């Protein structure tokens, strides 16, 4: 009675598991080089307290939202937050989702119809793949950031009647690199293709006030939909889809994670609103970018940059082939107080297992120097 039905235990046995809930969040003694808290806002007591005041000012101190947005779970503060987000991200409209995962599921699962074609970068996040999979459209992957292959696939598979969508990320979650968004957006507009950009890892780092890469490149009008998430640099959780009024009205009526799930509770909404004020702090961003530049310089001085995936963001990955090897490297860093987690296959393709460094405004140049010297020693087999 205690064992799983056969097929589940087989599946558990043949997959190398890295999914254990026994792995706790890092202890405060360890140096965080792996969380998504790029600006350090998740641990800000000020934001937590200001969120209380934000709610008190609106007489909205409740713990639950009581239902889906379409029933009892809508409120003046949901609408107020959406208006803040719409202005912050320079969008025509914004609609909240409970997470980035839900936003991608809701957006892609509802807008893509039978007869549509979806061309997605081969490295897009699992939530994008699941969203596309739950739709009735035909999906093809193009080689990572390869616009020529995108063009070829489009020419060969252009739908007769349906729409064509291109889906990408403005900063890729496992490589930290970016597509040429300007070129991609131009190509999409000229080809009559709708471009969807997930900005999960760009928000807070790029663009005026941290509004992301689409705004940074002035492409708001050329992008059909953007997904912005609040669990990373914004330090909270939740997400929004940004787009035209028509798109947002469509999602409110067709996106299942929005219609059939209890909406974000008041304190979360308040944290997201207040944290967007904090994100405008350019000092934090400057600190982070100085650290990212310092990381690059250190890789060069240690002659290990060839081992790292080229990136222009706070995500920097050292490829260490083999699950055992990369786990060993992570353990070695942990012995010296650094929390950098191994990303093993099949989460990333076989042979591209890696240590994924996330840099933060609160890390120091000394920490980076020490951690990278350990990585260099690992590569030299010392
Ligand atoms: N998109 C991307 C690119 C992501 O990296 C993530 C989170 N890893 C998500 C969406 C999902 O966001 P959330 O954690 O808010 O569900």
């Amino acid at each position: 009675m205690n064992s799983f039905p056969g097929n589940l235990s087989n599946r558990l046995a043949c997959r190398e598991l890295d999914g254990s809930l026994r792995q706790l969040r890092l202890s405060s003694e360890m140096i965080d080089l792996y969380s998504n808290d790029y600006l350090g806002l998740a641990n800000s007591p000020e934001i937590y307290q200001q969120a209380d005041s934000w709610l008190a000012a609106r007489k909205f101190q409740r713990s639950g939202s009581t239902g889906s947005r379409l029933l009892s779970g809508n409120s003046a503060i949901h609408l107020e937050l959406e208006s803040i987000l719409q202005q912050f991200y320079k969008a025509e409209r914004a609609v909240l989702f409970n997470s980035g995962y839900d936003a991608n599921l809701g957006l892609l699962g509802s807008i893509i119809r039978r007869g549509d074609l979806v061309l997605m970068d081969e490295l897009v996040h699992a939530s994008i793949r699941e969203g596309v999979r739950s739709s009735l459209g035909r999906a093809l992957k193009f080689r990572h950031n390869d616009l020529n292959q995108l063009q070829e696939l489009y020419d060969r598979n252009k739908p007769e009647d349906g729409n064509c969508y291109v889906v990408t990320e403005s900063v890729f979650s496992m490589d930290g690199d970016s597509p040429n968004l300007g070129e991609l957006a131009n190509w999409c507009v000229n080809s009559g293709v709708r471009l969807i950009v997930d900005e999960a890892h760009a928000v807070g780092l790029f663009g005026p006030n941290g509004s992301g890469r689409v705004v940074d490149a002035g492409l708001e009008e050329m992008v059909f939909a953007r997904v912005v998430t609040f669990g990373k640099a914004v330090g909270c959780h939740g997400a929004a889809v940004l787009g035209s009024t028509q798109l947002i009205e469509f999602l409110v009526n067709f996106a299942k994670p929005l219609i059939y799930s209890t909406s974000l509770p008041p304190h979360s909404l308040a944290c997201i609103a207040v944290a967007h004020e904090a994100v405008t702090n350019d000092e934090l961003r400057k600190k982070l970018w100085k650290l990212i530049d310092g990381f690059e310089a250190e890789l060069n001085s240690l002659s290990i940059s060839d081992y790292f995936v080229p990136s222009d963001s706070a995500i920097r990955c050292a490829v260490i082939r083999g699950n055992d090897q990369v786990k060993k490297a992570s353990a070695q860093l942990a012995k010296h107080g650094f929390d950098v987690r191994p990303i093993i296959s099949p989460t990333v393709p076989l042979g591209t297992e890696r240590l994924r460094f996330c840099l933060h405004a609160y890390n120091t140049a000394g920490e980076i120097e020490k951690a990278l010297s350990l990585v260099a020693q690992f590569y030299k087999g010392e």
Side-chain angles (χ1 to χ4, degrees), residues 36 99-102 104 125 127-128 169 171 173 198 200-201 227 229-232 238-239:
N36 293 319
S99 68
Y101 202 99
D102 272 7
N104 277 324
H125 191 255
S127 55
I128 296 178
E169 295 174 21
V171 172
S173 61
D198 180 329
H201 295 276
V227 172
T229 70
F230 311 137
K232 305 186 194 301

Side-chain angles (χ1 to χ4, degrees), residues 294-305:
F295 191 97
E296 194 65 47
E298 199 55 31
L299 291 186
N300 289 330
S301 86
L302 291 165
S303 308
I304 53 171
S305 53

Side-chain angles (χ1 to χ4, degrees), residues 20-38:
S20 163
L21 294 181
R22 278 187 215 107
Q23 188 170 270
L24 294 179
R25 202 173 162 259
L26 74 152
S27 77
S28 54
E29 283 98 59
M30 287 190 76
I31 295 155
D32 174 9
L33 285 172
Y34 87 115
S35 83
N36 293 319
D37 186 19
Y38 298 118

